Amino acid sequence: MPNAQPRYRGRFAPSPTGPLHFGSLVAALGSYLDARAHAGEWLVRIEDLDPPREAPGAATEILRTLESLGLQWDGTVLRQSERGDAYRAALEELERKGATYPCACTRREIGDSALAGIDGGLVYPGTCRSGPPPGRATRATRVRVDAAVIEFDDAVQGRVRQQLATDVGDFVLRRADGLFAYQLAVVVDDAAQGITDVVRGADLLDSTPRQILLQRLLGVPTPRYLHLPVAINAAGEKLSKQTLAPPIDRARPGAVLLMALEFLGQRPEPGLVDGSPAELLAIAIARWDRTSIPRARAVRARD
Ligand SMILES: [Zn+2]
């Protein structure tokens, strides 16, 4: 059973949209090494919140790949698909506090009047902030960001500052299709799992201020954050299933781990490529150096 009050508890939280690729392996390895180097716990959470985007069997496949690389997690794997009651309770708490409102706008209506936000999304113009237009059915639930300015210090990316009203706008907590939004689920789960340190890819850096706002509204602790460089291919695209990133070769765990260590700016010993994943990880934990992690990094696509 996990320690009740750990000094460090980290997590890896993949979405099961396909097999583990190099980009998600970097997040898995970085969060694992940072946790173990701090004598901390490392949990795994499957973010299967969005059934239409999932690939059948992908969650099992991801867990097998982690095991084959020697990345053994603590406790049981949490699955977001089983957490609807917790998300509902959190949303109701925010509703009771007057922090949310129902929104009747369609994507098209928002697209016609909204400005572009910080991460390519649209800044909601606030149409329904004092009630949806008469006769319109509500579709989504949004949280009021008001004048919140969120600042935090990321261990690799440095100081991050966002003015939510102009960078993001009132964002969705429950979507028109009834699904809970990622931002709400991740905050509820990090709090429920007692996560003290979030180590993940910098593609989520722009989401962090939204999560900190929700943590404050729900009265739960804000973890420390470390955003790892994102792996991009030669075309400058983030490696993902969409950009056809090759899945991890489970037959060559040493070579795969060494490549990810190099990506993270660590100095692994090349002679270890033939060693077991456990040997390689033990050395990587001992030599883990946060200050060597680059802020951004490109990889050549392998063919
Ligand atoms: Zn609206």
Side-chain angles (χ1 to χ4, degrees):
M1 186 178 155
N3 189 338
Q5 295 258 302
R7 282 180 303 126
Y8 186 116
R9 186 181 282 161
R11 63 11 173 232
F12 172 57
S15 299
T17 53
L20 202 68
H21 55 76
F22 186 70
S24 43
L25 168 70
V26 164
L29 181 64
S31 61
Y32 174 88
L33 293 176
D34 199 60
R36 298 307 190 212
H38 288 87
E41 297 170 356
W42 187 67
L43 311 187
V44 170
R45 175 164 82 224
I46 299 292
E47 301 208 321
D48 51 355
L49 198 60
D50 193 348
R53 285 185 58 231
E54 276 144 37
T60 308
E61 189 72 6
I62 288 170
L63 295 175
R64 282 203 194 122
T65 303
L66 293 177
E67 281 172 335
S68 74
L69 295 169
L71 300 173
Q72 190 54 59
W73 56 89
D74 296 305
T76 51
V77 173
L78 192 74
R79 288 171 194 270
Q80 290 193 326
S81 56
E82 297 166 2
R83 301 269 301 145
D85 288 346
Y87 307 146
R88 198 166 294 107
L91 188 63
E92 284 169 6
E93 184 181 338
L94 294 173
E95 284 168 352
R96 275 197 304 277
K97 289 177 171 169
T100 66
Y101 60 89
C103 172
C105 302
T106 62
R107 192 178 288 266
R108 181 182 203 147
E109 286 170 327
I110 296 168
D112 284 348
S113 57
L115 299 171
I118 198 165
D119 53 1
L122 295 170
V123 177
Y124 178 67
T127 320
C128 304
R129 202 174 281 146
S130 39
R136 292 286 305 275
T138 58
R139 298 163 52 83
T141 303
R142 291 181 183 273
V143 63
R144 299 175 195 281
V145 302
D146 294 326
V149 175
I150 305 283
E151 283 183 275
F152 69 100
D153 287 307
D154 186 90
V156 166
Q157 307 296 331
R159 191 114 180 110
V160 176
R161 184 178 193 275
Q162 240 182 45
Q163 175 137 27
L164 286 175
T166 51
D167 289 336
V168 177
D170 295 343
F171 55 95
V172 169
L173 298 184
R174 190 173 199 170
R175 299 171 5 183
D177 58 12
L179 293 177
F180 293 100
Y182 163 76
Q183 309 292 357
L184 178 69
V186 75
V187 165
V188 170
D189 290 341
D190 280 340
Q193 293 190 288
I195 301 300
T196 63
D197 291 77
V198 172
V199 175
R200 61 186 177 187
D203 51 321
L204 288 163
L205 187 64
D206 284 339
S207 287
T208 306
R210 269 168 274 182
Q211 294 169 18
I212 293 175
L213 175 76
L214 293 177
Q215 288 154 6
R216 292 179 185 173
L217 290 170
L218 288 166
V220 299
T222 291
R224 293 176 287 259
Y225 288 97
L226 189 164
H227 285 85
L228 301 165
V230 173
I232 54 176
N233 64 19
E237 300 163 316
K238 182 192 151 196
L239 294 189
S240 67
K241 200 178 65 170
Q242 287 72 32
T243 54
L244 302 175
I248 298 300
D249 182 358
R250 283 211 294 256
R252 299 168 59 240
V256 168
L257 287 171
L258 278 178
M259 201 161 67
L261 283 170
E262 267 166 27
F263 183 87
L264 288 168
Q266 309 301 303
R267 272 153 290 136
E269 291 166 45
L272 279 173
V273 68
D274 297 324
S276 72
E279 277 176 274
L280 210 161
L281 289 173
I283 292 171
I285 291 165
R287 299 178 65 162
W288 176 245
D289 177 11
R290 279 180 159 202
T291 62
S292 298
I293 303 171
R295 290 177 65 182
R297 176 152 268 188
V299 288
R300 278 193 311 274
R302 292 175 302 158
D303 45 19

